[in-house]
Amino acid sequence: LRVNLSGMTDDFDIQLLNADGVAVASSVFGLTAIETIARSSLAAGTYFLRVFAFDNRNLSDYQLSVSLNSSGDDSISRPVDMG
């Protein structure tokens, strides 16, 4: 799994959460740096990505890309707004 967050005008971070909402990976570089999560192996299951502003800063547009290196039995379902 590889996740990239870029194009921000403020400090945003990302987390990969398991089905219980526990962070299993994160990227918290400062300011407008590209945020990246790369994991070569994850247990089967449901995962969520959380994009959030550091210290509740201003809103910003961003670009989020997700890619999988899989054996063919993995899938990414459509995004769901978790509020």
Side-chain angles (χ1 to χ4, degrees):
L1 171 74
R2 183 172 186 85
V3 180
N4 287 318
L5 178 68
S6 61
M8 300 84 61
T9 58
D10 210 333
D11 189 359
F12 278 68
D13 300 318
I14 53 176
Q15 290 180 322
L16 178 65
L17 309 174
N18 66 16
D20 295 324
V22 176
V24 295
S26 61
S27 179
V28 292
F29 292 110
L31 302 175
T32 58
I34 294 173
E35 303 287 346
T36 300
I37 293 174
R39 295 291 299 258
S40 59
S41 62
L42 288 169
T46 300
Y47 294 89
F48 302 94
L49 288 170
R50 177 179 177 234
V51 176
F52 59 100
F54 174 77
D55 201 24
N56 294 320
R57 293 180 180 220
N58 296 326
L59 298 177
S60 173
D61 292 332
Y62 58 83
Q63 296 173 343
L64 181 68
S65 64
V66 179
S67 60
L68 290 175
N69 292 329
S70 70
S71 61
D73 60 351
D74 295 329
S75 65
I76 298 176
S77 64
R78 66 179 178 79
V80 176
D81 181 3
M82 296 182 61

